Amino acid sequence: MGDKVIDVQRRSFTKWVNAQLKKGDFDDEVENLEQELRDGIILMKVISVATGCAVPKHNHPCKHEIHRVSNLGIVMDMYKEAKIKLIGIGPTDLESGDVRCALAAVWAIIHAQQLGSIKGEASGKAGLLLWVKRAVGPYGIEVSNFKKSWSSGLALAALLHKHRPTAIVYDEIKELPALEILDKCLTVAESQLQIPALVDAADIEQAIDEKAIMTYISTLFTVFSKEQSAEVTQRRVIKFFENQKVIDTLQTDYEAKSSDIIQFCDEELPVLVDGLCPSSPMQKTMSLKHIKSSLSKLNTFRSSELNEKRIIKESLESIMSNIQTALSTAKRPHYNPPADQSLAVIDLKWSEIEEAANQKLSKLRVSYTEKKKFVCEKYLEGTTQLNTAIKSLSSEVRSATGDDLAKVLEKVQACKETASNLSTGEDDVLSRCLDLAEQLSEAGVSVDDIEGLEGSIEDLQRDYTDLMKLITKKVVFLESQIQSKKNSGVSVEKLAEIKETFNHFDENHNGHLTAEEFTNCLKGLGKDLSDEATAKMFKDNATSKQGMGFDEFVTIMTKMEADADSPDEILASLIELQPEGSEGLTFEELAKTLGEETAAHFAERIPKKESGVFDFKSYIKGIYSNEGIPQKVVKKETEVKKTVKEEDPEKEKTEDKEEKEEKEEDKQEKKEEVKEEKEENDEKEEKTEPEVKEEEKKEKDEKAEEKEEETVKVEKEEKEEDEKAEEKPEKEEEKEKEKKKEEEKDDKAETEEKKEEEQEKDEEKDEKQEEATKDEKTETEEKEEKEE
């Protein structure tokens, strides 16, 4: 080791040691490294900061050599306990003040702590070098070592810009001299990242010593890897609370609507039951007009109030299904509503009111039929068929649930196709029923007089529309749940990166990693784990004698990268968000992560400790089990907002203004959305079949024009090539021109043939459409003649 190398290492390692002492809140500051390490006290403090252990008892002050050697013996024991390799150096070597021994002792600590390997310098160095290559590769910079590759300063500038784009502008400084680039990078890292400049710009530019550069780069790696871990933690917490908010909203909606249905049934059932007795004097004395008026009132009740409540009642099954699906996706226990609001209780009450309404309707129809007898079997047959199909499909869609969401979605899509066939298929039951109802109306026969009919044609249209809406909502919800489930995994790009890193460190290419190769793989992927955690992970997952296979490695990385949401992981993420020395989060601290509105939502649900911070442990335990959330020390959302307003009256005024402005904006957006929907519906209704065909022709013409433009571009490129070829002999130019002309003719002929083929296909489609419309008209005319 030359004098220059020693000087560089002495300056760099001295700065590193001082940074560690400052990190451990020690008042010491080293100026003469080899002399101040002689008594072993500085080394004890540095090792305690690096490993987290306490400084052992030692001799102080050390006036005699025997005291210093005794302290250095304690230091050697600390090296062994921390599994830091220090070969060929003993207490007497360090006590003598030998500079090389002092530098080696400090380097051993740097290597163990920041390069993360105790099995040889090459492995830790390779992992750090791979991390750098991945970061600066997109900038077109090649880094192969920790000496000359850094001399230009571009590698360090690219590394800082990759992780801090706003701290340094790479394009602005890349043309500067190397020393200026290095000096600016070191200054930015120290001022904005609080990373001390452990090495001078001139030392990096001259590439005197790679250990000094590795010390500085490994410090950058430690800082950036911790930031990446913090981002994953924050994203996990946000996702958990977003999902929980959806579940809370669905449960609140279910309980409010179920309470409304039960109250409606209790109030209306006595009214419907009254007067159902066949021998009632009211039934005998009622005139035809009176019976018809009663029928009208009952139908109005059924189509308005009863139908509105029926829609709400049917939505309860869908809401319950969505709640259970969301909980199942989140791997949480199923939701059990209050006993008096269960689906079974609601179904029983609803069946009673529907039965009473149907009985009353049937009695009124019988009375009316005695005075006006006629039978309409075709209409009854069609409406019964449609009603049965709608109810069957509605029941099948509402009850569609299960763990395999793809199969559930496939089942609902099949119901959608069957439902569409009811109005557009070969049978077209709905259109046939509408046609029959019109005929009955023209004949002066009211459909309410048909015995056994359970509803009017308007009821069937409404039921069919409700069925299609129900299917659409179900499909949208299932697709969103499937997509949410997919997003919790690892991306294709990340999987490719994992595969590349695995192959890179698999030195013998046997498809398995040794413990050392596994450690390097983790470093290459930016995972800064402790030695104990890495060793345990390898021992628990390596099932083969050859080591850890690729599938096992992918499973580990998937768990580390995925947005896990188990109770322990969520609780661990919440604890990571807590400030140091704190036992929990306050409302203001939770609002920084979730936003004030979402934080206020959970403030009335999460219990608090006596100190006023949230008790997340009890909350997580409650929602992941059937015990429920403890209700002690829970403030309502309004009370939380009130305390915030009392603490800051000026904030209250600004929040009121913001709420008013948001309400006005929401109203304006809703008006615009309604207006746009009306305009779109008007445009759809105004469009006729000729206009649709004209639009199709326009699209075809536009495609043809695009193809012509492509041929023109090809001709231009060929002309440019001809101009470049003017330097060739005249004979060769003439031959090439003749060939190009022939190719141009062939290209034009091909494009014309393609155009003719497309036009012929378009004409055939138009002819088929016209024939289809003619066939439909003839079929409808034949049906009408047969029915007449």
Side-chain angles (χ1 to χ4, degrees), residues 417-429 431 464 783:
E417 183 177 358
T418 304
S420 299
N421 290 334
L422 294 175
S423 63
T424 59
E426 295 180 358
D427 193 12
D428 196 1
V429 182
S431 298
Y464 181 76
K783 286 182 179 179

Side-chain angles (χ1 to χ4, degrees), residues 538-557:
F538 182 85
K539 182 179 178 181
D540 294 342
N541 292 277
T543 58
S544 173
K545 293 181 179 180
Q546 294 177 313
M548 181 179 292
F550 177 69
D551 292 339
E552 297 160 347
F553 184 72
V554 168
T555 302
I556 294 173
M557 295 308 302

